[in-house]
Amino acid sequence: MNRGRLDILIVGGGIAGCCAAIALTQNGHRVRIVEKENAWRFQSSGIFVYANGLVSLDKLGLLDDILAAGFPVPGGRNAYFDHTGAAIVETIYPTADGGRIPAILGIRRAEMHRVMTARIAALGVPVQLGTNVRGLEDVAGGVLVDLSDGTQVRTNLVIGADGVRSATRAMIGIDVAPRYTGFGVWRAVHRRPADLTDKIMVMGPAKRFGIMPISDDLLYTFGTLAEPKDHHYEPATWPETMAAKFAEFQGPAARFLADLHAGAEVLYTAVEEVVLPLPWHRGRVLLIGDAAHASTPFMGQGGAMAMQDAVVLAQAIEARETLGEALDVFGAARLPVCQFVQDVSRSVGEAGAREVEGDIEARNAEMRDGAQAKVDGFYGRLAELDAEAEAKLAV
Ligand SMILES: Cc1cc2nc3c(=O)[nH]c(=O)nc-3n(C[C@H](O)[C@H](O)[C@H](O)COP(=O)(O)OP(=O)(O)OC[C@H]3O[C@@H](n4cnc5c(N)ncnc54)[C@H](O)[C@@H]3O)c2cc1C
């Protein structure tokens, strides 16, 4: 749709919103963002971005800055131990573009957003913090948007990138509530010992404890396990609660659990997912990122999916004559990829949650035989689905 540039309003300045703003502005569209938070304030800890997400960041021109701000894991290595500290197996994640793009990067979330928002500022994208949307009305050729500051904006396209509990989703009449997955995730930030450079997973019965470098001097840890619905943990108790939940973990986990003193930087998240059939748009209002397809975190792919959404949306708008066609092909291209990630991630999480102590030896043996094949199978299928998505855009 290169006949005219569009006025685009993006709701939400998370990964999806920031990346979409960059991709669309770089294609010449006039983009603005409204973000409900009063300041760029991102729940911190870390995130890992695999090669497919880094490829999208490369397309957005952010790769070098992101690599400099984070920690690419040497050789893409993931070392597995069981909760007694016994080594199980090591796997290698695939790189991209003949090794130019690393297999996996750990980065502090706030650092990733610093890079993204610096680019947004450099591109001159207006950002209204402390603002949300009160109402949306279809008008000829566009949408009238009522903002919480009392102003009204007329725009050609609204992108709801407002996360798992998207208000935009409800506003366009999509009655799909996030589903509580039964899992909680405990995350903490620690000093990184200089010799700890691998991604490490410690596998307990029905629990996982991960360790991931995120910078030259920091790493983050994350523990996943089943948690009751709606259980409230008082934030002041999060460090001691996280330590208690994984107290039986030995080996590489032990020193970091011992580090969880009062006041340590710990975050608890009850994990929800959003499974939304197509279309992901109603008229000229489109959902992307977690608003359309929030996933459990077991494959560490939700952020990468949000980055890819941004790149593919910008491509779809260029490739189609009308906005309606572009939004249709965007959904058709992205749903199979996002659904695959959601399905694999959910089944990995649920299989882990069913484990009991007596299963550990058999599980470890199975991992020694098959863990690398599973990694290769997952990334191989993801690459096929990405290629199918590209082909849909080209038709
Ligand atoms: C425990 C956990 C660990 C994870 N680990 C990883 C990982 O290692 N790697 C990975 O790739 N992914 C990971 N993910 C997934 C990843 O965090 C998400 O997929 C990603 O953040 C989605 O980005 P988003 O921009 O769609 O949503 P969000 O990051 O949620 O951003 C939404 C933005 O919209 C704003 N907003 C919300 N409502 C409104 C409103 N009404 N008006 C205006 N603004 C609004 C919010 O303030 C926020 O800034 C993890 C998820 C969880 C839960």
Side-chain angles (χ1 to χ4, degrees):
M1 194 196 306
N2 28 28
R3 324 290 168 263
R5 300 296 91 190
L6 299 171
D7 288 311
I8 299 174
L9 177 79
I10 297 179
V11 186
I15 299 174
C18 286
C19 290
I22 294 165
L24 293 163
T25 304
Q26 287 178 169
N27 280 359
H29 301 290
R30 293 175 295 272
V31 179
R32 60 192 288 184
I33 298 178
V34 291
E35 162 59 50
K36 74 169 184 188
E37 296 294 339
N38 285 317
W40 290 122
R41 187 167 56 81
F42 298 99
Q43 292 202 317
S44 209
S45 81
I47 183 165
F48 31 100
V49 187
Y50 290 94
N52 59 323
L54 296 173
V55 165
S56 297
L57 294 175
D58 189 37
K59 290 180 179 163
L60 296 172
L62 297 175
L63 184 66
D64 290 346
D65 289 346
I66 291 278
L67 292 181
F71 190 95
V73 169
R77 270 192 308 276
N78 187 350
Y80 287 91
F81 296 80
D82 73 19
H83 65 298
T84 68
I88 307 174
V89 69
E90 214 174 83
T91 59
I92 304 289
Y93 290 107
T95 58
D97 195 19
R100 181 178 68 86
I101 297 189
I104 176 167
L105 170 99
I107 187 168
R108 209 174 161 96
R109 280 183 184 245
E111 277 295 287
M112 187 168 69
H113 279 92
R114 182 185 59 72
V115 171
M116 289 177 178
T117 54
R119 179 58 57 89
I120 282 169
L123 289 167
V125 175
V127 179
Q128 251 176 283
L129 296 173
T131 307
N132 57 36
V133 171
R134 291 272 162 81
L136 298 168
E137 188 192 336
D138 282 334
V139 290
V143 186
L144 268 187
V145 185
D146 286 316
L147 297 177
S148 55
D149 64 1
T151 59
Q152 199 171 55
V153 177
R154 189 190 171 104
T155 186
N156 303 121
L157 170 65
V158 175
I159 299 176
D162 47 352
V164 65
R165 296 189 162 233
S166 168
T168 311
R169 193 173 59 222
M171 259 180 226
I172 57 174
I174 298 183
D175 186 21
V176 172
R179 183 186 77 89
Y180 177 57
T181 60
F183 294 103
V185 180
W186 296 86
R187 290 177 279 177
V189 176
H190 312 257
R191 307 304 299 173
R192 181 176 71 83
D195 60 346
L196 198 156
T197 58
D198 288 350
K199 174 177 180 245
I200 294 173
M201 289 299 299
V202 189
M203 314 283 287
K207 296 181 189 179
R208 304 288 183 256
F209 189 88
I211 303 168
M212 180 69 189
I214 51 175
S215 74
D216 284 345
D217 54 352
L218 296 175
L219 58 75
Y220 87 110
T221 57
F222 50 98
T224 56
L225 76 173
E227 288 282 3
K229 192 167 191 270
D230 295 331
H231 191 83
H232 176 73
Y233 294 98
E234 203 46 49
T237 67
W238 286 353
E240 68 197 68
T241 309
M242 180 174 177
K245 296 258 175 192
F246 297 92
E248 71 277 29
F249 277 56
Q250 301 300 314
R255 67 202 283 187
F256 300 110
L257 289 162
D259 194 29
L260 292 172
H261 52 84
E265 192 180 330
V266 174
L267 188 64
Y268 173 68
T269 310
V271 178
E272 296 178 316
E273 71 172 356
V274 172
V275 178
L276 208 62
L278 294 179
W280 289 343
H281 64 98
R282 297 289 185 273
R284 291 169 170 267
V285 183
L286 170 73
L287 304 175
I288 65 169
D290 275 12
H293 48 69
S295 168
T296 54
F298 299 102
M299 303 311 288
Q301 279 288 339
M305 292 300 105
M307 295 164 195
Q308 279 189 333
D309 278 0
V311 170
V312 172
L313 176 60
Q315 283 177 322
I317 290 175
E318 291 310 296
R320 290 296 183 271
E321 285 295 315
T322 68
L323 186 61
E325 287 170 319
L327 301 187
D328 281 341
V329 77
F330 168 77
R334 293 299 295 147
L335 177 95
V337 183
C338 298
Q339 206 168 55
F340 172 67
V341 166
Q342 285 184 310
D343 290 347
V344 174
S345 182
R346 192 186 311 111
S347 73
V348 164
E350 287 174 356
R354 285 193 294 272
E355 286 170 1
V356 292
E357 186 78 42
D359 296 336
I360 297 307
E361 278 311 313
R363 183 208 59 200
N364 290 356
E366 197 183 308
M367 285 184 69
R368 280 185 201 103
D369 285 347
Q372 186 64 51
K374 280 195 175 159
V375 170
D376 296 341
F378 176 75
Y379 283 97
R381 182 65 188 136
L382 207 48
E384 283 172 8
L385 290 168
D386 283 341
E388 287 169 21
E390 282 282 339
K392 283 179 191 160
L393 292 178
V395 172

